Amino acid sequence: MAKVAIVTGASRGIGRSIAERLAHDGFSVVVNYAGNQTEAGEVVKQIESKGGKALAIKANVGNKEDVDRIFQETLKAFGQVDVVVNNAGIMPLSLIAKEDAETFDKVIATNLRGTFLVFAQAAQHISEGGRIIAFSSSVLAKSFPSYGPYIASKAGVEGLVPVLANELRGKNITVNAVAPGPTGTALFLDGKTPEQIAQLSKLAPLERLGQPEDIANAVSFLASPDGAWVNAQVLRVNGGFA
Ligand code: NDP
């Protein structure tokens, strides 16, 4: 039977690339999304057109019942869970002085609570030899103004990773995070001027924007037999942006 991967936030951006790459690698893939049903359906169709298996599941990663349902529906459809990639995330920017607690709560709910809930279900249901992959961000090292809520959420994610790795001792399950640098998706591009995009693209010594496929390559490695000895790490996939 094919191995099974759950990818959250897989209707577009980095998550879409990961879903398509893991399908190419031979996984049956659950394509989770928050609202964009049409785009999630296109990802499923794209995978199926290449002979793969995929299932779209609408669920908010910040909601416990929704996350539990992702795992129940995956087990019902595919019988097991081998790889869990919690890629879903949002990045509304807000200066700390604005005291925008609503934005703060929203980012923490999706990025940090979402990771906690997905980790919990993954820890309960993932098979022996499984891989759990969370998403942080290389922007942590920059401390840019207005990134406070986002950086707080991703710092929390980086804190959870080695704790879960320790909790899963003896089970042959790895837990890691991938921390992309600036990557050409709506999350990064929306709301920025062409000048800002050009400037941020040049910060990495490799002097270009990351592409979703660059990040999917790293996730594919962590999910593959070659990634077996990488555990409790944050892999900064960013062209040297530091
Ligand atoms: P996009 O904005 O392009 O895509 C976000 C995806 O997450 C969509 O599929 C969206 O679904 C889904 N999503 C959003 N909120 C939820 C939720 N509450 N529950 C379930 N799914 C949700 O983002 P990216 O592809 O750029 O980002 C992917 C990850 O990479 C994020 O964790 C982000 O923080 C991280 N990252 C990105 C960087 C970048 O420069 N792009 C840099 C560093 C880290 P829908 O389409 O239905 O709205």
Side-chain angles (χ1 to χ4, degrees):
M1 203 153 86
K3 287 196 169 186
V4 179
I6 294 172
V7 184
T8 68
S11 49
R12 52 202 171 86
I14 294 169
R16 177 178 185 152
S17 273
I18 294 168
E20 291 181 1
R21 174 58 193 266
L22 293 181
H24 170 83
D25 293 347
F27 289 88
S28 299
V29 179
V30 167
V31 175
N32 159 253
Y33 66 101
N36 279 308
Q37 188 177 359
T38 308
E39 288 180 76
E42 279 164 17
V43 179
V44 169
K45 264 192 226 144
Q46 176 70 17
I47 290 172
E48 288 175 344
S49 74
K50 295 191 170 167
K53 279 196 183 145
L55 171 71
I57 300 181
K58 178 178 175 169
N60 172 5
V61 295
N63 178 284
K64 185 183 177 313
E65 285 70 36
D66 278 18
V67 174
D68 292 1
R69 184 168 45 79
I70 296 175
F71 282 78
Q72 289 313 318
E73 288 185 13
T74 302
L75 290 168
K76 200 168 155 205
F78 297 128
Q80 66 196 60
V81 181
D82 301 284
V83 170
V84 174
V85 185
N86 188 44
N87 156 86
I90 56 171
M91 190 179 73
L93 302 179
S94 191
L95 292 169
I96 293 168
K98 275 182 71 183
E99 214 174 344
D100 183 358
E102 201 180 312
T103 294
F104 183 83
D105 289 348
K106 206 171 131 195
V107 177
I108 295 293
T110 300
N111 296 1
L112 181 52
R113 188 170 201 267
T115 300
F116 175 80
L117 294 172
V118 172
F119 272 14
Q121 283 291 303
Q124 289 174 42
H125 296 295
I126 204 159
S127 306
E128 154 90 23
R131 308 289 164 80
I132 301 172
I133 302 163
F135 264 71
S136 180
S137 169
S138 290
V139 83
L140 240 74
K142 294 293 187 188
S143 307
F144 289 145
S146 80
Y147 281 70
Y150 183 70
I151 285 180
S153 72
K154 296 298 192 180
V157 171
E158 293 199 12
L160 287 175
V161 166
V163 175
L164 185 60
N166 278 332
E167 290 181 1
L168 294 175
R169 172 176 292 274
K171 295 197 169 163
N172 192 25
I173 295 166
T174 67
V175 187
N176 294 288
V178 169
T183 308
T185 69
L187 178 138
F188 170 75
L189 298 168
D190 286 0
K192 294 193 177 73
T193 64
E195 293 73 28
Q196 285 172 320
I197 292 167
Q199 190 239 336
L200 287 163
S201 307
K202 290 279 181 201
L203 288 181
L206 296 185
E207 294 197 319
R208 67 170 175 82
L209 211 54
Q211 293 306 317
E213 295 73 24
D214 293 315
I215 313 305
N217 289 342
V219 172
S220 168
F221 161 69
L222 289 172
S224 77
D226 284 347
W229 193 235
V230 183
N231 190 24
Q233 303 300 314
V234 178
L235 186 55
R236 303 195 187 282
V237 185
N238 57 24
F241 171 96

